[in-house]
Amino acid sequence: MEHLSVTNAQQCILESVNKLDIETVGLEQSLGRVLAEDVRANRDIPPYDVSAMDGYALCSADLAKIPATLKIVEDIKAGDMPSKQVGAGQCARIMTGAPMPRGADTVIRVEDTDVVSDGSVQINVKVKPGNDIRLQGEGMRNGDVVLAAGTEITPGVIGILATVKSKQMRVYRRPRVAILSTGDELEGMDDPVDPNKIPNSNSYALMAQLQALGIEPTLLGIARDDPAELAEYLQRGLRFDVLLVSGGSSVGVHDYVRPTMEALGVRMKFWRVAMKPGHPLAFGVLQQNGDGTPKDSFVFGLPGNPVSSMVCFEEFVTPMLRSMMGHARLYRRTLTARLTHDVKHQAGRTEFVRVTLAKDGSGYVATSTGSQGSGMLLSMARADGLLVVPADSTGLIAGEQVTVQLLDGTAFQNEIEFRE
Ligand code: AMP
Ligand code: MG
């Protein structure tokens, strides 16, 4: 099997998955989820024409000669209903959000007036009719779709949902994800420190990457490099929607993950991607027919090296999980930055260099986080983003404009925006 390009591997994964089923959640629990239904306005907002300012509601015809002194007939607060009509030479004191009184077609803000006496006010400016009035239905119209299915629920969307009194909504389910680390050399979190062992960091870094996507994973622990033990763990893991296996997917004599998965019925789609850090990366599908409805489980054999495992998660697992959760934007947001130093590169594989980002007068600048070995987890811990070195590049030069995928934050985009 030849090496797939990063984008071809992403494509293969995305073609294999569907959106998960739909469930109902409460408004308070809905942040980050994706709407599986259209949401409509249940009234006009504002419900009638209201003032946009604290000021005076009046007839614009009275502004022919400025300054104009008008008699105040009423005070209208937000929540009040006006009881008087405003006629020629009259006005009503009005607060932001309060309904416009009959007869008035304009609002003048307080700052453009002077108090003359208790009962009247002097208007100092001329404005067009309709000034500082929010029209009925300007914010949303009763019956209109205000949020379309597929919308990600952000704090702003929560505000809209609350406005239309949506206490519950239908959203795509989150995937159930299990994490399994493999390797005789691994030392568990609660094991005593043994200088001959390697602490299992991957389970926890992957856990955190999932949590950042809003998914609470199940940690299955550590399986030894033993086919029978591995098979037992994999069987448990394959009951989840997605199983992430760290380590053991390479071609070493103790790398049993791929053959064991295949023996359990997993169909491997690919296991080599032309990227650095990263390969081997295995991806497979298990067709499930347990309860009559076919439902697939997806397995990733991620590289054991800590940086490779995290970078593969970013490039492949993140878009897949976001797709399953109904998101339209699957990929980490990218930006263009100026490189502060040369980057060596041998053509053939797409490389992801961990960088920090800073800003200067001309824009963003990207600097390597230091030694880039696939075991150098600090290079990842310090990184703001992944600089994408195209596969055909023969090296980058200081001052070049480069593409950087952001690692932090919740910003995602529709398109993969790097050239491989
Ligand atoms: P493998 O892909 O199984 O050949 O693992 C490659 C290397 O990654 C191993 O030699 C370990 O140093 C490291 N490694 C594997 N699994 C983990 C893990 N769960 N946590 C930290 N490092 C790991
Ligand atoms: Mg191993």
Side-chain angles (χ1 to χ4, degrees):
M1 195 192 275
E2 61 174 287
H3 287 60
L4 282 181
S5 70
V6 172
T7 42
N8 283 346
Q10 285 174 335
Q11 217 44 52
C12 168
I13 293 165
L14 292 176
E15 280 163 11
S16 308
V17 300
N18 291 309
K19 289 190 185 82
L20 291 169
D21 27 276
I22 292 164
E23 63 183 0
T24 300
V25 291
L27 180 65
E28 290 91 334
Q29 283 75 45
S30 66
L31 182 65
R33 306 298 285 272
V34 178
L35 283 173
E37 61 185 348
D38 290 346
V39 173
R40 291 177 184 276
N42 61 346
R43 62 168 115 180
D44 285 349
I45 301 280
Y48 24 66
D49 294 355
V50 299
S51 176
M53 290 285 170
D54 290 341
Y56 296 88
L58 47 88
C59 327
S60 51
D62 278 338
L63 301 178
K65 251 180 77 194
I66 289 301
T69 301
L70 303 177
K71 190 166 174 296
I72 303 168
V73 295
E74 186 177 22
D75 258 351
I76 314 166
K77 300 195 296 292
D80 286 351
M81 285 314 283
S83 64
K84 300 217 172 84
Q85 172 142 3
V86 173
Q90 298 182 332
C91 66
R93 190 182 286 126
I94 193 163
M95 300 298 133
T96 305
M100 289 293 290
R102 275 186 302 124
D105 65 353
T106 285
V107 171
I108 302 284
R109 49 185 198 150
V110 176
E111 294 90 320
D112 295 328
T113 67
D114 285 306
V115 177
V116 177
S117 67
D118 237 11
S120 50
V121 64
Q122 177 181 295
I123 310 292
N124 299 324
V125 296
K126 189 175 263 188
V127 296
K128 292 206 180 89
N131 185 62
D132 281 334
I133 296 174
R134 286 189 202 135
L135 298 175
Q136 174 176 348
E138 187 181 288
M140 57 176 81
R141 274 212 179 280
N142 189 17
D144 280 1
V145 172
V146 285
L147 298 169
T151 301
E152 176 177 336
I153 303 182
T154 59
V157 170
I158 297 257
I160 299 281
L161 290 167
T163 302
V164 305
K165 307 287 273 286
S166 230
K167 276 172 89 169
Q168 296 200 311
M169 59 283 316
R170 285 157 61 73
V171 298
Y172 293 102
R173 180 167 71 74
R174 287 185 171 128
R176 289 183 278 267
V177 183
I179 301 169
L180 175 65
S181 279
T182 72
D184 288 346
E185 77 280 25
L186 296 182
E187 179 182 289
M189 184 63 88
D190 297 322
D191 296 342
V193 172
D194 177 341
N196 296 320
K197 297 231 157 168
I198 293 188
N200 168 24
S201 59
N202 288 358
S203 289
Y204 299 93
L206 291 168
M207 171 199 76
Q209 287 181 298
L210 288 161
Q211 287 171 333
L213 296 178
I215 296 166
E216 205 52 58
T218 300
L219 269 60
L220 298 178
I222 300 169
R224 302 290 142 198
D225 291 321
D226 165 79
E229 180 171 330
L230 195 57
E232 240 173 77
Y233 274 94
L234 289 176
Q235 252 169 333
R236 275 185 60 204
L238 288 167
R239 293 195 210 115
F240 289 76
D241 297 312
V242 177
L243 169 61
L244 305 181
V245 184
S246 140
S249 279
S250 198
V251 291
V253 282
H254 300 295
D255 291 328
Y256 299 116
V257 171
R258 272 188 297 121
T260 311
M261 288 205 281
E262 278 171 335
L264 292 171
V266 174
R267 208 154 43 83
M268 300 314 301
K269 295 258 186 173
F270 62 80
W271 56 280
R272 279 178 163 154
V273 179
M275 67 187 284
K276 182 186 174 188
H279 82 129
L281 168 78
F283 175 68
V285 183
L286 177 68
Q287 214 117 33
Q288 307 264 26
N289 291 301
D291 56 355
T293 43
K295 185 185 79 57
D296 295 342
S297 285
F298 302 95
V299 198
F300 282 92
L302 299 170
N305 279 307
V307 175
S308 314
S309 149
M310 291 191 74
V311 170
C312 284
F313 184 99
E314 283 301 331
E315 300 307 319
F316 305 107
V317 187
T318 292
M320 180 182 97
L321 294 172
R322 285 183 62 84
S323 171
M324 293 170 87
M325 289 188 283
H327 289 277
R329 295 174 179 174
L330 306 182
Y331 305 99
R332 286 287 192 185
R333 189 164 283 180
T334 52
L335 54 77
T336 302
R338 187 167 39 82
L339 196 53
T340 60
H341 51 78
D342 295 353
V343 171
K344 287 205 185 77
H345 181 71
Q346 248 185 349
R349 295 193 276 168
T350 307
E351 186 170 353
F352 297 89
V353 178
R354 279 78 69 204
V355 294
T356 57
L357 288 168
K359 225 171 172 189
D360 70 6
S362 67
Y364 286 103
V365 289
T367 305
S368 160
T369 54
S371 176
Q372 296 281 313
S374 57
M376 303 295 285
L377 201 42
L378 272 174
S379 73
M380 192 73 189
R382 292 185 181 125
D384 295 316
L386 300 174
L387 184 174
V388 187
V389 187
D392 62 3
S393 164
T394 51
L396 303 176
I397 298 162
E400 244 184 271
Q401 294 291 324
V402 294
T403 303
V404 177
Q405 288 182 310
L406 296 177
L407 280 174
D408 58 341
T410 52
F412 291 86
Q413 63 187 30
N414 289 53
E415 302 287 330
I416 317 164
E417 213 180 83
F418 56 75
R419 189 175 65 84
E420 276 196 82

